[in-house]
Amino acid sequence: MRLALLPILVLTAGCAGSHAYAPAAEAFPSGEEAAKPRSVDEAALEWAEEALEDGRPVEAAWIADSLVSIWAPVSGLDEGTIRRLARLHMELAEDARAAVLLAAVPGRPGGRTLSLLREATSRLSQEELEGIVPLADHSGRVLAVVLAELAYALAQAGQTDSAMIVARRVVEGDAEREERRTAGRVLDGKVEANGTPAKIGLILPGTGRFAAVGAQLLEGALLAVAERRRLAPDLEVELVVVDDSSRTDIGADLLRELEEGGVVGVVGPIRSEALLAVAGARRSAGLVIVSPTASEDAGLPFNSYSLWQRERRDTEAAVRLAEWMTSELRLTRFGILYPHSADVGSLQAFQETVEESGGVLIGAFPYDSDSTTFEAPISALGQLEPEGVLVLADNPRTVLQIAPQLVYYGLRSKIISGGANWSDPEVVRRLDPSYADFRLVATYLDRVNPGTGWMRFKNSYEAEYRKALPDNMFVALGYDATGLILQHLPRRGLARPGGVARGIHRLQDYLGATGTLSYDRRTGTLARRVEVKMLLEHRLRDPDVDSILAWAEQTKRLEEYLEELEEEREKAKEEAEERRRRERLRTDPPGDEPPRAPEGGTS
């Protein structure tokens, strides 16, 4: 793998907290200007160091990345400042980027720079070291540091011939005493091959009230490892499973045991409070922890993640729908129907996005999910004549109940949109096309169409375990949490501390069972890609603007025709009633009525 400096977005004010700082972006100088000694923006570097010290690593990482993007390509950087920037990256588990910075120091770097480079390279995988070799060939001392560590890594991996070749390059070159000593150990056969497999720890409930959840998560983890072994037969992986007994107070102790055992990543625990405790107990901030089911991911320590993210997914879906309907369909008047249990954040996010695009939210009406009729809120919203409507639902059953009533009570021709529950397989299969077609859905997961990540996972599970996949997300979440760690194990050589963390920091479009995941540098979290789909003929399809607008116009004309037809029927009914009244008057005039008995007596 060739390691190169990745282009990084420059931090914008406010994106990483109230104290965010952005170094000014400028074009890279060239020629004589590039040869002049330059220094990293001291204010930005100090701000990043303070952010890390104050417990804001995500903000520190943003600034550090921006500084690398802007300044690292410039020759003649101040060596002392480069060491500060490299140290900052190392404390953020970005040892590979630190090594790139230190390896690029021009001239004959000093002892402190070489010492820091040794520390950084000692944490890198064989693949990462191989990528740095071309960047270090300008200086014999620098190259010797990288090659000595590479020779040691090759020897540990049992690649003796390659290790010998690299070690000879070290002793024959301009190497310091320490690198000569390391290379000599390799040449003398004193570095034992380490056949230890990469260990992944799992902190799951094997007993207690959540034991059933733990069992399903473990099935997903085992499936992920089985698939990985089929793709890479030489990869040695061991799952180390520990039981937290469905408790939240022993996870920290279990984490320390796993860390002492040399795990490269941890899956679990399943609850938010336990995840916070476990992440806080790490000795190394570079050890990645991925909880499949913790309900919160905001405010988690650096390099700890949750895959559940329910409230955030609902908000992202609402925002995506608002963006799509305003930009693609050019709608401006919107309404919302939502259950009493809906997250307020998603409602506010939808309104804000609509208003930022020049639209207006004309009404939002709650409904009771346990009710059998939703006439009142639907009719009230229909009277306001919205163009687009967001219909939030707390589960697929509610979608099946409310969708037909949207047609009956006044929203027949309106463009209806909804979140992930509208894409549930039960809804897609069972909802009649007259109530479903051309409805927009913002979803992170397609569990209907063939060829998706979910369907591939489902088929693999049922083939592996010879049984139907459970009707929940637990197995898939365990599969994805483990798969994320497996994805970032080195293809060659041994896994080293921090390698998984560095891989996740560069994660883009990981196609998992539960959606497409990417690393969000703004928040330091994992984010699922939310896509807008269209329901049509019991399938989820890519939305087509022309067909949606044509359907809306055709349905509007149909609605107008039905209204005219209803008015004609009412008019015909009134006319028939009037004819019957006149007929009664003609055959039974008022004067022919029999006399009545006087009140209060008898006739």
Side-chain angles (χ1 to χ4, degrees):
M1 179 181 68
R2 296 289 181 182
L3 186 68
L5 288 175
L6 302 177
I8 306 298
L9 294 176
V10 177
L11 181 68
T12 54
C15 68
S18 58
H19 300 291
Y21 178 88
E26 59 182 82
F28 296 141
S30 59
E32 294 182 1
E33 183 64 21
K36 295 180 181 179
R38 297 291 296 271
S39 176
V40 170
D41 186 332
E42 287 286 338
L45 182 54
E46 289 175 5
W47 204 286
E49 292 169 336
E50 290 175 4
L52 184 60
E53 185 177 351
D54 292 343
R56 305 193 307 275
V58 175
E59 180 180 331
W62 262 89
I63 302 172
D65 288 346
S66 298
L67 290 170
V68 169
S69 176
I70 294 172
W71 295 100
V74 182
S75 62
L77 285 172
D78 174 73
E79 187 173 336
T81 309
I82 281 293
R83 284 198 301 271
R84 285 176 60 191
L85 184 57
R87 173 61 69 182
L88 177 64
H89 277 91
M90 291 169 68
E91 292 179 5
L92 293 165
E94 287 289 355
D95 300 284
R97 184 163 289 154
V100 168
L101 286 167
L102 295 166
V105 171
R108 191 174 178 82
R112 286 191 295 171
T113 298
L114 292 178
S115 177
L116 199 59
L117 179 60
R118 292 185 188 106
E119 181 181 348
T121 54
S122 69
R123 302 171 186 170
L124 303 185
S125 68
Q126 175 185 328
E127 292 176 333
E128 290 172 316
L129 290 165
E130 289 170 347
I132 294 175
V133 169
L135 305 177
D137 61 3
H138 63 88
S139 168
R141 300 174 75 195
V142 170
L143 181 61
V145 172
V146 179
L147 289 178
E149 191 59 48
L150 176 58
Y152 190 85
L154 288 167
Q156 278 192 314
Q159 301 176 42
T160 306
D161 292 343
S162 298
M164 293 288 187
I165 293 172
V166 175
R168 290 192 190 98
R169 287 186 62 187
V170 175
V171 297
E172 293 170 359
D174 180 17
E176 297 288 296
R177 179 182 302 174
E178 187 163 343
E179 281 67 57
R180 291 183 179 276
R181 185 184 302 115
T182 300
R185 291 187 62 200
V186 173
L187 292 171
D188 293 340
K190 294 181 179 180
V191 180
E192 294 184 5
N194 186 347
T196 303
K199 296 179 181 179
I200 300 175
L202 288 88
I203 302 177
L204 298 176
T207 56
R209 60 179 178 145
F210 298 119
V213 173
Q216 292 187 359
L217 293 169
L218 180 57
E219 279 191 334
L222 291 170
L223 178 61
V225 172
E227 287 187 356
R228 182 71 175 183
R229 283 174 176 160
R230 285 193 288 269
L231 292 173
D234 295 335
L235 179 67
E236 293 291 333
V237 179
E238 177 185 343
L239 296 185
V240 183
V241 186
V242 294
D243 177 16
D244 66 6
S245 304
S246 301
R247 295 165 55 182
T248 61
D249 59 339
I250 63 173
D253 292 334
L254 296 174
L255 184 281
R256 294 187 189 99
E257 293 177 11
L258 291 172
E259 199 167 16
E260 289 174 2
V263 298
V264 297
V266 174
V267 173
I270 69 169
R271 297 166 67 185
S272 297
E273 56 269 43
L275 175 58
L276 285 169
V278 164
R282 291 174 298 183
R283 287 199 306 267
S284 171
L287 179 65
V288 167
I289 302 174
V290 184
S291 171
T293 57
S295 59
E296 299 291 337
D297 66 346
L300 288 176
F302 201 47
N303 289 328
S304 55
Y305 309 98
S306 169
L307 298 186
W308 192 242
Q309 312 163 343
R310 178 175 179 177
E311 290 186 1
R312 185 151 70 97
R313 292 200 311 267
D314 291 343
T315 298
E316 290 170 350
V319 168
R320 188 73 186 93
L321 285 168
E323 291 174 343
W324 203 89
M325 289 190 289
T326 54
S327 64
E328 301 296 329
L329 299 178
R330 305 294 182 183
L331 306 184
T332 58
R333 292 170 56 83
F334 293 89
I336 302 178
L337 293 170
Y338 63 95
H340 289 292
S341 60
D343 172 45
V344 175
S346 59
L347 304 178
Q348 293 175 338
F350 183 84
Q351 179 177 0
E352 291 170 1
T353 307
V354 163
E355 291 175 350
E356 287 171 1
S357 301
V360 60
L361 181 66
I362 58 176
F365 296 88
Y367 64 85
D368 184 358
S369 297
D370 295 328
S371 176
T372 57
T373 178
F374 310 100
E375 178 181 4
I378 295 174
S379 298
L381 181 57
Q383 292 174 3
L384 299 179
E385 289 296 321
E387 296 173 325
V389 178
L390 173 65
V391 183
L392 299 178
D394 48 9
N395 56 61
R397 177 185 59 82
T398 301
V399 176
L400 292 171
Q401 288 181 314
I402 199 171
Q405 298 186 40
L406 298 173
V407 173
Y408 295 149
Y409 297 128
L411 298 177
R412 181 192 299 271
S413 64
K414 311 307 177 187
I415 294 176
I416 305 296
S417 63
N421 283 314
W422 282 77
S423 67
D424 186 271
E426 192 74 3
V427 172
V428 177
R429 286 194 297 263
R430 291 181 52 190
L431 196 58
D432 189 273
S434 61
Y435 309 134
D437 282 359
F438 299 101
R439 270 48 174 179
L440 295 172
V441 179
T443 184
Y444 57 93
L445 180 60
D446 182 348
R447 291 194 285 164
V448 179
N449 290 325
T452 63
W454 173 268
M455 294 304 295
R456 181 184 59 80
F457 155 74
K458 179 177 181 293
N459 294 336
S460 179
Y461 175 89
E462 294 179 350
E464 181 78 15
Y465 292 107
R466 303 296 180 182
K467 61 181 181 180
L469 180 68
D471 189 21
N472 59 50
M473 301 295 290
F474 293 132
V475 179
L477 289 166
Y479 174 88
D480 277 355
T482 308
L484 277 169
I485 296 174
L486 291 169
Q487 174 79 5
H488 297 104
L489 295 180
R491 290 168 295 178
R492 299 187 305 278
L494 302 177
R496 287 186 167 186
V500 174
R502 292 190 289 276
I504 289 179
H505 293 170
R506 291 154 183 75
L507 181 66
Q508 293 183 347
D509 294 343
Y510 173 78
L511 181 59
T514 61
T516 302
L517 292 161
S518 299
Y519 180 73
D520 188 343
R521 289 184 174 274
R522 299 168 301 169
T523 61
T525 61
L526 293 170
R528 284 185 180 84
R529 185 170 66 207
V530 177
E531 295 183 334
V532 175
K533 295 291 185 179
M534 176 179 69
L535 289 170
L536 185 65
E537 298 174 347
H538 298 292
R539 297 287 294 273
L540 286 171
R541 304 178 186 272
D542 291 332
D544 179 76
V545 172
D546 292 338
S547 64
I548 292 172
L549 293 177
W551 167 85
E553 181 62 28
Q554 181 180 1
T555 308
K556 184 177 180 180
R557 290 199 298 269
L558 173 62
E559 195 171 51
E560 291 172 349
Y561 169 75
L562 292 175
E563 288 177 358
E564 293 175 358
L565 187 62
E566 184 64 24
E567 290 176 358
E568 291 177 359
R569 287 175 178 173
E570 288 295 325
K571 183 178 180 181
K573 183 179 178 181
E574 292 174 0
E575 290 175 349
E577 184 64 28
E578 178 64 19
R579 286 195 299 270
R580 287 193 293 271
R581 188 184 68 82
R582 291 179 179 177
E583 182 64 21
R584 287 196 300 270
L585 289 176
R586 186 181 66 79
T587 59
D588 195 11
D592 295 338
E593 292 181 3
R596 294 183 177 182
E599 296 181 3
T602 59
S603 57

